[in-house]
Amino acid sequence: MSNPQTAAGDFPVATIRAMFPALQRAGDFIFLDNAAGAQIPQSVLDAVTNHLVSHNVQRGGRYGRSVTVDQSVADARTSVALLINAYSPAEICFGMNATSFIRLVSLGIGQMLAKDTDEDRDEIVITDMDHDANIATWLALESAGAKFKWWRMREDGNLHVDDLRPLVSDRTRLVACTVTAHSIGSIVDVASVADIAHAAGAEVFLDCVHYGPHGLIDVQAWDCDYLVCSGYKNFSPHMGFLWGRFETLKRLPTFREDFIPNEPPYKVEAGTFIYENVAGMDAAVQYLELIGRNLAPSNNRSRRENIVAGMGAIRDYELLLAREMLGVLKACGATIYGVADETRINERVPTFCFNIGKLSPQRIVEEMAEMQIGIRDGHMYAPRLMKRLNLSMDSGAIRASLVHYNTVEEIRRFGEALRTIIAKLS
Ligand SMILES: Cc1ncc(COP(=O)(O)O)c(C=O)c1O
């Protein structure tokens, strides 16, 4: 990765793949189930190993190894703050995964609703395009008095902010929506969501789990109030993080043992989290910075500027992959759920959900597995979306999800495999 390269066609994918041991060891296997979790670069593995070998102790002690853990957690907060453009590292909370963080925030907001702290604001807007983690967690607040408004996906495979406007009023407490659908890949105009919600005095909770590996996150530009990510979708081991505005987190009721400071991020982090995986997340941010740094070397660029450059290059390359995949699926006669119009390609990431006529998704995915291609079938943890698309929860659809280490050659092999399978099963 030593040459400055900017065009998507010049994206140094071979050099990048060489940084991922799992890809090097995979032989013929093609990873096309990245939406369920991405592979991790050697530098991330090294950070995890280094933690476990050199300072696998509890933080908060006075001896060197423990002090190092404190420093490593602080460094990770700084890195993740840069990754998402947080106002301060103290707004970054570490934990197990996205779902438990969404529930933690929903429990806090539920307590506020029950205590009438929020007076007449008892409505929560949810969408039928989200992962159920960002729906069921809010619906659970019905017993706390919450009422729900559904922001529904249009026929064209995306949420439209014009449909959100009439749902938001001075009764709205929160709008909870995804930045990008993990099932069908559609990108939502979340900055406009925040404009609409804030104009009515409501807050915005963004599920950024699926968008995370695909593009630049900017909580300041998006002007949201909460945002959640899963590290394991972002080239890190299994962990999750929550961001919230400092004052918002300060107000949020959380469970806290008596010895825990009543301050973010500590009041949000129940118990010990997985320090080695947090060290891995720090290294994953540095990996993304490295992509930006190597594409256009400069001594003067800040860490954030390198992230901006790296994620910009990833986004451009992934658009190329998305176009290629769209062409392959159309040539195979697939019914594509989500944005299928090439002129709207900017509205999607390379995550494709489809069916092939009446052929069984399960059978197609099993055949793909035989051919060393890992894709997924089923309901994609999105029961409301399945209903919206008239798909059964039992069979659902097929999802092939790419990230920046995938290649055009892999897409072509996937296309050949799909044609062979269609011929066999038809
Ligand atoms: C968009 C989206 N939200 C939430 C989740 C749940 O994340 P976690 O497994 O970290 O709880 C997922 C997991 O696939 C997801 O894709």
Side-chain angles (χ1 to χ4, degrees):
M1 291 182 59
S2 53
N3 297 325
Q5 288 160 324
T6 45
D10 293 337
F11 189 73
V13 66
T15 318
I16 280 175
R17 288 177 71 83
M19 296 163 86
F20 286 76
L23 301 182
Q24 296 307 300
R25 291 182 194 181
D28 270 355
F29 183 79
I30 304 180
F31 290 89
L32 290 184
D33 188 25
N34 298 291
Q39 300 309 303
I40 59 181
Q42 181 68 51
S43 55
V44 171
L45 278 169
D46 291 344
V48 174
T49 307
N50 182 46
H51 176 96
L52 292 172
V53 172
S54 306
H55 42 264
N56 187 24
V57 298
Q58 185 55 282
R59 62 184 160 155
R62 297 191 197 284
Y63 54 99
R65 283 178 167 73
S66 183
V67 172
T68 307
V69 178
D70 282 327
Q71 189 56 51
S72 150
V73 171
D75 291 347
R77 287 197 212 281
T78 302
S79 289
V80 172
L82 289 168
L83 178 71
I84 68 171
N85 203 24
Y87 300 95
S88 137
E91 297 172 330
I92 308 296
C93 315
F94 292 126
M96 286 298 291
N97 53 45
T99 309
S100 53
F101 272 131
I102 306 174
R103 183 60 178 137
L104 183 145
V105 175
S106 98
L107 281 168
I109 289 181
Q111 279 186 46
M112 288 162 140
L113 289 178
K115 280 190 195 141
D116 272 338
T117 332
D118 284 327
E119 295 172 353
D120 291 335
R121 285 189 185 273
D122 54 3
E123 290 181 0
I124 296 180
V125 179
I126 44 184
T127 90
D128 61 0
M129 198 176 80
D130 269 75
H131 191 290
D132 216 41
N134 199 28
I135 300 175
T137 41
W138 301 109
L139 288 174
L141 297 188
E142 194 169 6
S143 56
K147 313 224 169 25
F148 301 96
K149 297 262 173 169
W150 287 92
W151 182 15
R152 302 204 183 270
M153 187 185 86
R154 279 200 198 168
E155 275 303 304
D156 68 1
N158 210 347
L159 296 166
H160 286 243
V161 288
D162 285 344
D163 301 336
L164 174 65
R165 272 190 198 93
L167 303 177
V168 174
S169 70
D170 57 5
R171 294 204 62 103
T172 312
R173 173 68 179 79
L174 182 99
V175 177
C177 76
T178 191
V179 180
T180 295
H182 68 291
S183 46
I184 57 176
S186 311
I187 301 175
V188 180
D189 176 3
V190 290
S192 298
V193 172
D195 281 350
I196 294 167
H198 289 163
E203 289 182 329
V204 175
F205 187 102
L206 295 182
D207 177 345
C208 197
V209 172
H210 190 65
Y211 179 78
H214 298 294
L216 185 68
I217 305 173
D218 192 334
V219 296
Q220 296 193 37
W222 296 349
D223 196 27
C224 47
D225 301 286
Y226 299 95
L227 175 140
V228 73
C229 277
S230 308
Y232 70 97
K233 312 282 168 101
N234 282 279
F235 320 108
S236 146
H238 286 92
M239 57 82 72
F241 61 85
L242 172 76
W243 167 86
R245 291 173 191 268
F246 189 82
E247 290 305 322
T248 308
L249 292 178
K250 222 173 149 149
R251 276 195 307 275
L252 185 77
T254 58
F255 165 75
R256 184 177 59 84
E257 293 146 297
D258 281 350
F259 57 83
I260 300 289
N262 195 13
E263 284 279 308
Y266 314 107
K267 61 173 279 195
V268 185
E269 296 170 335
T272 302
F273 49 81
I274 307 177
Y275 301 140
E276 59 271 32
N277 291 357
V278 166
M281 185 67 225
D282 185 356
V285 175
Q286 293 178 46
Y287 159 75
L288 296 170
E289 282 175 63
L290 182 73
I291 293 179
R293 202 162 58 238
N294 286 351
L295 285 175
S298 153
N299 290 333
N300 304 326
R301 270 217 306 254
S302 67
R303 291 186 65 190
R304 174 69 186 171
E305 284 167 339
N306 282 324
I307 291 168
V308 171
M311 293 315 296
I314 284 173
R315 174 80 182 127
D316 289 345
Y317 175 66
E318 288 193 5
L319 281 172
L320 181 146
L321 296 180
R323 256 185 224 104
E324 191 72 25
M325 192 68 172
L326 201 55
V328 163
L329 288 173
K330 282 186 175 172
C332 289
T335 303
I336 300 166
Y337 307 106
V339 176
D341 174 355
E342 193 170 330
T343 62
R344 291 174 55 217
I345 201 93
N346 278 325
E347 269 184 65
R348 66 151 45 257
V349 298
T351 298
F352 288 86
C353 190
F354 63 95
N355 268 316
I356 304 286
K358 297 248 176 288
L359 296 184
S360 150
Q362 181 190 334
R363 288 287 293 120
I364 292 178
V365 170
E366 283 167 356
E367 292 285 339
M368 281 279 178
E370 288 288 315
M371 297 164 95
Q372 294 301 304
I373 299 175
I375 56 175
R376 182 168 293 268
D377 65 286
H379 50 61
M380 310 303 151
Y381 322 102
R384 334 272 160 178
L385 184 69
M386 291 298 113
K387 196 165 167 215
R388 169 73 186 74
L389 296 171
N390 288 322
L391 294 171
S392 98
M393 276 294 280
D394 290 337
S395 58
I398 303 167
R399 182 182 69 187
S401 51
L402 295 84
V403 288
H404 69 274
Y405 52 60
N406 288 120
T407 64
V408 169
E409 291 69 34
E410 288 179 328
I411 296 173
R412 291 189 182 147
R413 221 185 97 199
F414 163 85
E416 279 161 29
L418 191 54
R419 277 190 290 278
T420 307
I421 295 167
I422 293 171
K424 180 174 170 185
L425 299 182
S426 295

